Amino acid sequence: MGQEIQHSEFSDADFHVFAEQLSQETQRLADYLRDDCVEADTGTCGLELEACLIDSSLRPAPDNEAFIALLDDPLVVPELAKFNFELNTPPFPVAPNLLSAVHSYMKDQWQRCQQAAHQMNLDICQVGILPSLRDDDLNLNNVSARQRYIALNHQILKGRQFRPLDIAIEGAVDHLRLEHNDVMTEAATTSLQIHLQVAPSDFARYYNASLLASALLVAAGANAPLVFEQDLWDESRVPLFEQSVALPCFISGSGTVVHRVTFGSGYCKHSAAELFQENLQAFPVLLPILDDERDALAHLQLHNGTIWRWNRPLVHINTNGQLQLRLEHRSLPAGPTTTDSVANIALFYGLVAWLSNNLYELNPPNFEYVRQNFYTAARWGLDAELDWLDGRRASAADILLHQGLPAAIQSLTTLGFDGAEVDYFLSEVMRERIARRRTGAHWQREFFLNNHRDTRALMEAYQYQCTQGAVHTW
């Protein structure tokens, strides 16, 4: 969950002291990893699901403060805009029934949120970008009442010398070009974020596997083709989020330019410490909040939370003083349904398990090809042509159907996942979605173009279809 702060104005001294603390904690993290002072549990899975509040006109409803107060659930929190909120789950341990346990929890949590919204004559929607959203919904009058968001907006614009953000996305059908004087276009993007706890000795393999899997995941899970009634990429969240907080940074030595939202600058060679060292050296501090009361890595964690890698390392010191290390995967959109989300989680878990255990034998492409795969898949979805293992080039759909899905299923079975659950989420749901080319993005685009680009009708059909089953059945 996004960490709240107490104020949004900072002095030069705040930045200087924070930078010193950040440097010390980056070294402290390296010491934790070197001394193996690490929590033993691995493989646990936690989730964050972002969603939208909508009114009777199926338009965004800026009422998350009242909604969250009525719900009274500490695991449901505000997001950037007043019409956004985020559902969080506890960590689920590795067990044969992990997939059904996640599904049951998310389904119950979603129903509770829906009931609270209905009490306010509202509804809720899980979708990568709300089709009924308009550009004029995204202004600072609709920013959630949290100091973190106000401060981030100011610091990002300050880093840009208050030049407006330029949003430019070229789709196969339409093209979007606009300017924004704030970061609120980020609020258009709602996602499913997966947290996987890993052992430090395994982190580099898992991180690199997640990089490689990202293109397949974003192609199979795409659910954001429309931005302000323009038909753009299958997963338009990716370019929109990257451009919404565009603040370029230069990595000295490598000559690489990266952004705060980034696919990264390369494979991880040995340790998660490399990524935090890059955080320290390449990314200017945005929120210099000094904290003497939280855990030993408080400043490092806060700084890491302002760098949005699509695959991001997360660290935490537990109550026993041990380091907990997690890999957060951020490429997947919200929705269309809870069942679709769990199928996406199963695919992530299975692909990463397969690739991490066989990474070097599989002869993966170099990083620049992997990076380009991600953006190609975000644009073209399952039809994207990708550079894959052993120099092979094929569509995302073909790779998934003939290699990725069978390997993911076998890997989950080897890990001890219940065979019937794996078969349901990966064979019945995911395989059928891919074989029918029926992602959320494909369904939205087809309906939109066949119904005179009517987003109100699209929203009505989307909300109705969400009650009928996974998206491949729509």
Side-chain angles (χ1 to χ4, degrees):
M1 294 182 283
Q3 181 184 328
E4 178 58 316
I5 61 178
Q6 299 306 310
H7 58 274
S8 57
E9 298 292 332
F10 312 110
S11 67
D12 290 344
D14 291 331
F15 282 95
H16 178 72
V17 175
F18 188 96
E20 289 184 340
Q21 294 287 342
L22 180 61
S23 179
Q24 292 172 15
E25 291 177 15
T26 303
Q27 181 57 53
R28 190 175 299 150
L29 172 64
D31 294 341
Y32 270 100
L33 294 171
R34 183 196 63 218
D35 298 339
D36 201 26
C37 185
V38 179
E39 186 173 283
D41 290 341
T42 61
T44 58
C45 179
L47 309 166
E48 301 174 28
L49 175 66
E50 297 165 347
C52 301
L53 280 169
I54 53 177
D55 61 21
S56 58
S57 299
L58 304 177
R59 296 260 297 118
D63 291 314
N64 66 5
E65 189 172 346
F67 166 74
I68 288 168
L70 177 62
L71 190 63
D72 192 27
D73 181 343
L75 292 180
V76 180
V77 297
E79 257 298 330
L80 175 57
K82 292 179 180 178
F83 49 80
N84 296 143
F85 63 98
E86 179 183 275
L87 293 77
N88 293 267
T89 73
F92 292 88
V94 177
N97 68 336
L98 186 148
L99 296 176
S100 63
V102 170
H103 189 225
S104 178
Y105 186 94
M106 291 181 70
K107 186 176 179 181
D108 290 347
Q109 192 181 39
W110 187 255
Q111 289 176 344
R112 291 195 304 273
C113 289
Q114 201 165 45
Q115 290 166 3
H118 289 171
Q119 291 182 51
M120 300 172 61
N121 296 316
L122 302 176
D123 209 338
I124 55 177
C125 182
Q126 49 179 308
V127 62
I129 296 175
L130 194 67
S132 59
L133 187 70
R134 300 170 186 160
D135 184 26
D136 57 13
D137 294 318
L138 300 172
N139 59 74
L140 292 180
N141 291 326
N142 276 338
V143 69
S144 289
R146 302 191 100 192
Q147 292 289 334
R148 173 186 176 88
Y149 300 133
I150 296 168
L152 274 174
N153 179 72
H154 179 76
Q155 293 301 322
I156 287 171
L157 293 179
K158 182 180 177 182
R160 295 178 54 83
Q161 298 179 318
F162 297 97
R163 295 189 302 270
L165 290 144
D166 185 29
I167 307 297
I169 307 174
E170 183 175 337
V173 177
D174 298 325
H175 311 290
L176 180 69
R177 183 70 183 265
L178 54 90
E179 287 187 346
H180 252 262
N181 292 313
D182 54 56
V183 301
M184 286 297 288
T185 46
E186 180 194 337
T189 65
T190 44
S191 64
L192 171 70
Q193 297 154 28
I194 307 171
H195 294 196
L196 179 65
Q197 189 167 339
V198 297
S201 58
D202 295 332
F203 180 84
R205 289 189 302 108
Y206 273 83
Y207 177 78
N208 295 339
S210 190
L211 292 175
L212 191 56
S214 294
L216 300 180
L217 290 160
V218 79
N223 192 30
L226 305 177
V227 184
F228 312 142
E229 301 185 345
Q230 301 300 300
D231 180 4
L232 302 172
W233 292 18
D234 265 35
E235 193 47 47
S236 303
R237 274 176 52 255
V238 169
L240 186 58
F241 189 15
E242 291 196 354
Q243 295 176 34
S244 294
V245 290
L247 196 58
C249 307
F250 180 76
I251 300 179
S252 61
S254 70
T256 302
V257 176
V258 296
H259 291 264
R260 304 297 292 212
V261 185
T262 177
F263 192 72
S265 60
Y267 285 124
C268 182
K269 296 181 177 63
H270 305 291
S271 166
E274 298 164 27
L275 300 176
F276 288 96
Q277 189 66 36
E278 184 176 280
N279 287 359
L280 174 68
Q281 295 176 343
F283 295 94
V285 171
L286 288 185
L287 300 179
I289 301 296
L290 302 175
D291 193 331
D292 297 325
E293 298 180 1
R294 295 180 69 248
D295 68 42
L297 301 176
H299 303 85
L300 178 143
Q301 291 169 350
L302 180 58
H303 184 55
N304 188 52
T306 66
I307 302 162
W308 297 274
R309 288 182 175 87
W310 292 108
N311 294 278
R312 180 165 67 175
L314 299 176
V315 294
H316 173 67
I317 304 299
N318 68 17
T319 54
N320 296 323
Q322 296 174 311
L323 180 73
Q324 181 188 89
L325 179 61
R326 285 173 287 152
L327 172 63
E328 179 187 40
H329 183 78
R330 303 173 55 84
S331 81
L332 288 163
T337 70
T338 300
T339 297
D340 288 306
S341 291
V342 177
N344 292 340
I345 293 162
L347 182 61
F348 166 79
Y349 218 117
L351 285 176
V352 170
W354 165 54
L355 290 167
S356 64
N357 287 326
N358 301 279
L359 192 61
Y360 303 110
E361 295 85 350
L362 291 170
N363 190 23
N366 70 45
F367 176 78
E368 284 308 315
Y369 285 115
V370 175
R371 180 183 180 280
Q372 188 56 50
N373 280 349
F374 176 67
Y375 294 102
T376 302
R379 182 167 185 173
W380 301 109
L382 290 169
D383 292 328
E385 290 291 317
L386 307 179
D387 292 289
W388 193 235
L389 308 173
D390 290 321
R392 177 188 173 200
R393 187 169 176 83
S395 73
D398 285 345
I399 293 168
L400 281 162
L401 289 174
H402 298 122
Q403 186 178 31
L405 269 174
I409 290 167
Q410 180 59 52
S411 293
L412 292 184
T413 303
T414 301
L415 286 171
F417 281 57
D418 180 82
E421 293 186 12
V422 173
D423 186 62
Y424 174 69
F425 286 109
L426 288 186
S427 294
E428 294 186 36
V429 177
M430 183 60 69
R431 187 185 300 278
E432 287 301 304
R433 184 200 301 172
I434 296 166
R436 299 183 191 187
R437 299 295 204 277
R438 204 63 170 171
T439 62
H442 183 276
W443 183 90
Q444 285 188 57
R445 178 176 286 118
E446 183 181 74
F447 188 98
F448 182 68
L449 297 178
N450 288 342
N451 288 274
H452 312 290
R453 302 171 71 98
D454 185 341
T455 54
R456 170 63 188 261
L458 170 59
M459 284 294 300
E460 288 176 344
Y462 186 92
Q463 286 294 92
Y464 171 73
Q465 294 283 10
C466 283
T467 68
Q468 306 302 303
V471 70
H472 73 274
T473 66
W474 296 6

